[in-house]
Amino acid sequence: MKKNIWCLVEELRSLEGICEERKILALTPEACYKLGRADMQYAIPEDFFDEKELRSGEDLYFHEQLKWFKDFDELFKECIPYCKQEDIRMAYAHYYQLKNFIDSIVMQSQILNRVFRNICPSDVVYIGTAKKDEGCRTIYDLYHNKRTFLLPIVKRICDTLSVPYSLQLDDEAKGHLSKSAPYAATLFKKILKKLHFKSIYYFFKYDKLKGTIVCNKQDRLNILLLHAGCLAMDLLLKDLIHKGAKVFFKDGKEIIRISGIFQKKMLDLDKSDENALTAEIRNGCHIVYERFIANENNFTSWINEKCGMDIADIIRPYFKDFIETICARDFVEVSMLRKFFKKEKIDFVLTRSSSEQGSISSLIAATGERRRVCFQHGWHGINDDFFSVTELDLCDYYFAMLDKAEEQMKAELSKNYLHGLGVFQAPRQLQEVKKRWSGVRRDNNLVMYLPEKLFYGFRAYNAYMYSLPWYFEFQKRIIDFLATRRDYRFIYKYAKGQEWLENSIVPYIHDKGYTNISVRNTHLMDCLGEPGRIIVDCPDTGLYEAASAGIPVLSLRKDVIRIGEITQTFLGRSLQKFYSIDEAVRIIDMFLDSDPEQFKANVGLTEYSVIDILTKIKKGETKNER
């Protein structure tokens, strides 16, 4: 009997091991690109399963997972008296990253199980790169050094199904640059710090002189800011300083007072004293890990069940680091921050994200006092539960970025798993876009295409992220079609940090040599004065920035993406659903042939004074809760 041998390709350095008798499954966009360049026929995982069927039980999955998080937090409280005393929901505070970790493994396991059932391989050859085991395995750096879960999952499936497999792993490229900063650069930074260079820079950037001459400081706000450097937060910070607020900024592990002429370090979270509490936390976290990994309350068996096989040894090191290192450190930081909040009489903790590791301990410390304030830094209009939790359930007050986002966020509060919170609006980011780019003369023959921002391995239930192998094939078809529209010039503008794209789509474009398509990765805000039309392939923030600038915009959305009715109604023709890649191409063709005025969306923005609202909340004069 002829063998049904499959080569599963994660990375490809050479064609060794690949021959006509063996079928090929490309697992990554880089593999797709290199195989295609070598004129090798290959399949991708999406050829062997139905996306809707895969997601058919995700609503039940979501609520089961919420209970899993609740039980996990109860375990922390049982083992750590401080956690129970302060009513800390440590696991839930890390919801975004924990869910991404669990869901990525579950989805990849379920997908590859479906693939194996369909291809029925007699043998498997896994082609990739041998990874150096650098760094610890942490949920906050899941794909360190392009490490993935693909190989361990494939090995586990082969063992479960008794499928013989062999590994063809090339050594990693040698000669990586050292990650340590050069001595001269480090010394230069230290000198600048001693000379208060940042203090001088911030004095002029935020026009601090206005804040120093404010006379009435009776009602001033005391603020801890967790994010700066983005347009909306920098404008807010400037307003706060002008109003005489006392503003602290969390810079890594340091809390800096940024208002006043000179900035001053107020707290170093890395410098905690060894005392009875830290010993209790460290010992308690060790007990939590031992009980977790022993499968109390079915913690690991629930994940195994969803994966369809036992993957406990794959996830064990990640949970060990999460519980014994990340959570232990966060508990200590929370105790330090609560003392700091009391001493400095902090009114509000301001953040643009509840999901970043550096924000977690500060938001936990502010829990219970109704002073966590989140500013929407992006909106995709997608009606999913993952987004609802991370955006709304880990803060007390929420400022949306446009009218329809505010309306949808208020509607989301009807979900019974969310707590009551105030929802307002802070449209400064889109106002600046409108102010800078609305009404400028554009090149009507220039079209900008904005691909979705994606990352290695990340897949999740209750939210939609395109699969990278499928997305590569999708992008190829779109690019090949755009090249046929010689009546237009196109800019393929992608976000920085998209390494997978730079190793696949970008070289594909260069290989093709299409003269009417150029590639760019500058900031979108600096490009909005050029194109006469913009195309996005998922309704994310770029859609609303383009619409705010008055640019005709088309947003594609795959049929499995759940869009809120509010979003669908106000975007009108600008939002188009597609069921296949061929249909997406036809929609783009229609957009390019249509009157651009039909694709302008009216982005309503309502001006609020964030500082006035926060001041009234502090005084107990404003409530905007369900």
Side-chain angles (χ1 to χ4, degrees), residues 474-518:
F474 175 68
Q475 293 289 282
K476 277 202 313 180
R477 286 288 304 281
I478 298 298
I479 289 162
D480 290 343
F481 166 73
L482 297 181
T484 68
R485 291 298 304 251
R486 308 298 297 179
D487 47 336
Y488 286 100
R489 290 174 292 110
F490 298 91
I491 298 174
Y492 186 85
K493 200 220 80 66
Y494 67 95
K496 292 183 178 180
Q498 297 286 275
E499 183 182 357
W500 71 267
L501 189 147
E502 292 175 334
N503 292 333
S504 56
I505 299 293
V506 171
Y508 176 82
I509 295 173
H510 293 325
D511 289 347
K512 288 292 185 177
Y514 294 135
T515 57
N516 65 331
I517 301 177
S518 60

Side-chain angles (χ1 to χ4, degrees), residues 188-201 262:
F188 184 60
K189 288 180 180 179
K190 288 182 179 179
I191 294 172
L192 289 178
K193 189 172 183 178
K194 286 186 177 181
L195 292 174
H196 291 278
F197 176 81
K198 274 192 175 180
S199 294
I200 298 168
Y201 171 71
F262 293 103

Side-chain angles (χ1 to χ4, degrees), residues 409-570:
M409 293 301 101
K410 288 178 178 177
E412 290 288 299
L413 294 178
S414 63
K415 295 177 176 178
N416 60 15
Y417 57 82
L418 297 176
H419 75 288
L421 71 155
V423 177
F424 307 96
Q425 189 180 151
R428 294 290 292 275
Q429 178 179 337
L430 295 183
Q431 283 177 334
E432 289 298 312
V433 170
K434 189 173 183 178
K435 177 181 175 182
R436 181 174 176 183
W437 296 120
S438 181
V440 302
R441 180 172 293 183
R442 307 178 181 283
D443 185 343
N444 292 328
N445 293 319
L446 181 64
V447 180
M448 183 174 288
Y449 183 92
L450 307 178
E452 179 69 345
K453 192 173 182 180
L454 301 170
F455 298 96
Y456 282 109
F458 276 106
R459 299 295 304 277
Y461 283 116
N462 317 111
Y464 192 80
M465 288 170 265
Y466 292 130
S467 155
L468 285 180
W470 177 89
Y471 193 67
F472 174 79
E473 301 301 321
F474 175 68
Q475 293 289 282
K476 277 202 313 180
R477 286 288 304 281
I478 298 298
I479 289 162
D480 290 343
F481 166 73
L482 297 181
T484 68
R485 291 298 304 251
R486 308 298 297 179
D487 47 336
Y488 286 100
R489 290 174 292 110
F490 298 91
I491 298 174
Y492 186 85
K493 200 220 80 66
Y494 67 95
K496 292 183 178 180
Q498 297 286 275
E499 183 182 357
W500 71 267
L501 189 147
E502 292 175 334
N503 292 333
S504 56
I505 299 293
V506 171
Y508 176 82
I509 295 173
H510 293 325
D511 289 347
K512 288 292 185 177
Y514 294 135
T515 57
N516 65 331
I517 301 177
S518 60
V519 178
R520 193 183 298 180
N521 70 342
T522 50
H523 196 282
L524 180 60
M525 182 66 167
D526 298 325
C527 305
L528 290 174
E530 301 177 51
R533 305 179 194 225
I534 285 183
I535 301 169
V536 301
D537 52 42
C538 192
D540 60 10
T541 308
L543 164 63
Y544 305 102
E545 290 181 333
S548 297
I551 305 172
V553 59
L554 168 68
S555 173
L556 299 167
R557 74 171 179 94
K558 208 175 180 186
D559 62 308
V560 293
I561 298 178
R562 300 177 178 180
I563 291 291
E565 185 178 345
I566 292 169
T567 304
Q568 183 66 66
T569 301
F570 103 87

Side-chain angles (χ1 to χ4, degrees), residues 263-310:
Q263 64 181 38
K264 179 182 178 182
K265 182 168 75 172
M266 307 297 292
L267 180 67
D268 189 339
L269 294 170
D270 270 338
K271 295 183 178 178
S272 59
D273 296 327
E274 179 67 28
N275 53 39
L277 177 59
T278 57
E280 171 195 303
I281 289 168
R282 185 173 59 251
N283 294 334
C285 284
H286 177 69
I287 295 171
V288 170
Y289 171 70
E290 292 295 328
R291 291 178 60 179
F292 179 94
I293 214 64
N295 196 33
E296 285 194 24
N297 291 325
N298 300 316
F299 288 119
T300 56
S301 62
W302 182 82
I303 301 174
N304 289 340
E305 175 194 336
K306 299 305 175 185
C307 289
M309 55 189 174
D310 187 351

Side-chain angles (χ1 to χ4, degrees), residues 11 22 120 148 303 342 364 430 439 443 494 604:
E11 289 190 65
R22 296 177 175 181
C120 301
T148 73
I303 301 174
K342 185 176 181 180
I364 294 175
L430 295 183
D443 185 343
Y494 67 95

